[in-house]
Amino acid sequence: MSNPNLPKASVPTRPPVRTDIAEGVVQRWNPDLMASASTGTENTISVLDPIGADWYGDGVTAKRIGAALRHIGDGDVTVNINSPGGDYFEGLAIYNQLREHKGNVTVKVLGMAASAASIIAMAGNEIQMARASFLMIHNTWVLEAGDRHAFRDVADWLEPFDQAAVSIYAARTGMSESKLGAMLDKETWIGGDAAIDQGFADTLLSSDEIDSAAQNAANLSPKAAQKKLDLVLASGNRMTKSERRELYAALKGGKSSAAPSGMSSAAVLELAQNALDKIAKI
């Protein structure tokens, strides 16, 4: 029984913010699509439900992901995603948990990573997508009731949450925030190949990759090659000669506009080649 003499906790007047699940997204989502069996040595986390707990306690929560990461320890982890999204702040919490994980995080989009689930996908050191899979990005949704003044106030209140999402996508893709903002405004669906071309993902799933090394290099965009190079340099892993050749070929497709200020694309390529050669000798 509560003590009437204790001060009452104030109840926030704002409703919870959600990148709520649109009906069209639910219709496209296949909840029966499950992750493929892992090898006995692979640490996996499955994000195959809406983000956030529902009335029945189901759903993907930061608490659940945190428990899985504690069990894994500092080891590498693969995160399999097929989710229509859901609670925005729960998605941000999971994104930050994965970003803080000391091991390498590989994200695999099996069906869709929509709305808040697309935020989680951006946490991967490497993001792989099925060719027939989709990211969906849009502005945050909220349920509200009130007059026109209340709705104007809510619109202003939601703006920083949309800006936070734009910032996360921009950090991953290198795209301008104005272009990303326009994509969120109109709700944008991005398929596997397009996601790689635009920098949202790095590669296709191994089952969708083309066996030919030359074709692999052609399909790897310069931006994806740069991200892969960053990952290799950070981890200190050795690469095979064929893997280095693929990165060389992809990096040669880069444009001078992608080079750091004051450096030509040829200079950037030379630095990359030297770095990869050095790794090969370690």
Side-chain angles (χ1 to χ4, degrees):
M1 185 173 179
S2 61
N3 187 338
N5 296 321
L6 292 176
K8 293 182 179 180
S10 60
V11 178
T13 58
R14 295 295 190 188
V17 181
R18 298 175 60 89
T19 48
D20 222 344
I21 305 174
E23 182 61 29
V25 180
V26 175
Q27 291 173 359
R28 294 179 179 91
W29 180 50
N30 177 12
D32 295 326
L33 179 62
M34 304 299 289
S36 58
S38 62
T39 67
T41 59
E42 187 180 61
N43 295 315
T44 61
I45 293 176
S46 294
V47 180
L48 305 176
D49 292 298
I51 309 304
D54 60 18
W55 289 104
Y56 304 99
D58 297 324
V60 181
T61 64
K63 183 177 181 179
R64 172 187 148 193
I65 299 300
L69 290 173
R70 286 193 298 272
H71 176 73
I72 291 169
D74 294 341
D76 296 344
V77 62
T78 296
V79 181
N80 296 308
I81 298 180
N82 176 41
S83 172
D87 190 288
Y88 179 72
F89 284 115
E90 202 76 16
L92 286 178
I94 295 170
Y95 166 82
N96 288 318
Q97 285 176 317
L98 294 173
R99 291 284 292 170
E100 289 295 308
H101 183 63
K102 293 182 179 180
N104 189 66
V105 177
T106 300
V107 168
K108 296 184 178 183
V109 180
L110 306 177
M112 70 162 65
S115 192
S118 72
I119 295 288
I120 294 172
M122 296 299 102
N125 299 110
E126 181 179 6
I127 301 174
Q128 302 176 9
M129 290 187 63
R131 179 175 284 110
S133 68
F134 287 88
L135 294 174
M136 190 279 278
I137 60 176
H138 68 167
N139 290 325
T140 49
W141 285 28
V142 67
L143 300 177
E144 178 65 285
D147 61 16
R148 68 181 189 275
H149 303 295
F151 280 103
R152 289 194 185 103
D153 185 36
V154 168
D156 292 337
W157 174 63
L158 286 174
E159 190 170 349
F161 307 131
D162 295 334
Q163 182 57 43
V166 166
S167 179
I168 289 171
Y169 298 130
R172 167 39 94 157
T173 65
M175 294 172 62
S176 70
E177 292 193 355
S178 59
K179 183 174 182 179
L180 284 164
M183 294 172 72
L184 266 66
D185 286 344
K186 64 182 181 180
E187 183 181 288
T188 302
W189 291 81
I190 309 164
D193 290 321
I196 293 170
D197 290 340
Q198 296 175 37
F200 287 96
D202 301 303
T203 62
L204 295 174
L205 294 180
S206 57
S207 58
D208 284 327
E209 289 176 344
I210 301 172
D211 292 334
S212 167
Q215 288 177 312
N216 274 341
N219 287 337
L220 191 63
S221 69
K223 186 173 292 184
Q226 291 169 10
K227 288 183 180 297
K228 188 171 183 179
L229 174 61
D230 288 340
L231 181 59
V232 171
L233 292 175
S235 64
N237 291 334
R238 297 182 64 176
M239 300 182 68
T240 65
K241 188 174 182 180
S242 62
E243 288 173 329
R244 296 198 307 276
R245 284 178 176 174
E246 289 180 23
L247 274 180
Y248 292 158
L251 286 165
K252 286 178 181 177
K255 300 178 181 179
S256 58
S257 59
S261 177
M263 295 184 69
S264 67
S265 58
V268 173
L269 177 60
E270 183 178 358
L271 286 174
Q273 289 175 328
N274 291 339
L276 290 172
D277 288 337
K278 185 176 181 180
I279 288 173
K281 297 175 182 177
I282 295 175

